Amino acid sequence: QVQLVESGGGLVQAGGSLRLSCAASGSIYGLNAMGWYRQAPGKQRDLVATIASDGSTNYADSVKGRFTISREDAKNTVYLQMNSLKPEDTAVYYCNADVRVRLSIRVFQNYWGQGTQVTVSS
């Protein structure tokens, strides 16, 4: 029904920047909360940032002041601007979204993207 497609990952040097994008497609009748998560090898998947439908945001302490989450509902897209990247930011980054998939009822389904690799070299 719904697919989240990520882009923008890659290899950068410490101190560099990347902008991740995640576009939702399919039967979308509305978007609620969206967010970004990351998972390093051997570690659990952790929340990076979330953005609510009213635009309010929440960030992990480790990325505050460096990362910015934003959304563009007209494109069904959520972004993550990552600045001042550090080697410890290296991980697979996943986008997440609560999507209204039916017009007839106000119910939201949660979806995950497949992930995109971000590698920061020292």
Side-chain angles (χ1 to χ4, degrees), residues 10-113:
L11 173 64
V12 298
Q13 294 183 347
S17 298
L18 284 174
R19 192 189 196 198
L20 306 183
S21 300
C22 181
S25 61
S27 58
I28 301 171
Y29 294 92
L31 294 168
N32 207 335
M34 295 186 284
W36 289 93
Y37 296 72
R38 67 187 181 187
Q39 187 170 22
K43 300 182 65 177
Q44 69 176 34
R45 187 175 301 183
D46 293 327
L47 185 148
V48 176
T50 60
I51 183 166
S53 59
D54 65 357
S56 61
T57 58
N58 184 50
Y59 297 92
D61 288 342
S62 59
V63 307
K64 285 181 179 177
R66 300 189 298 120
F67 291 9
T68 303
I69 188 171
S70 60
R71 61 193 289 162
E72 190 171 2
D73 284 3
K75 293 184 176 181
N76 295 324
T77 300
V78 60
Y79 304 96
L80 185 68
Q81 178 67 47
M82 305 185 295
N83 299 325
S84 301
L85 283 162
K86 305 174 181 179
E88 50 262 45
D89 295 319
T90 296
V92 177
Y93 284 70
Y94 299 88
C95 62
N96 179 270
D98 290 329
V99 182
R100 182 175 177 175
V101 298
R102 283 198 268 174
L103 180 63
S104 58
I105 56 174
R106 184 178 168 82
V107 173
F108 294 86
Q109 300 278 6
N110 187 258
Y111 289 88
W112 288 94

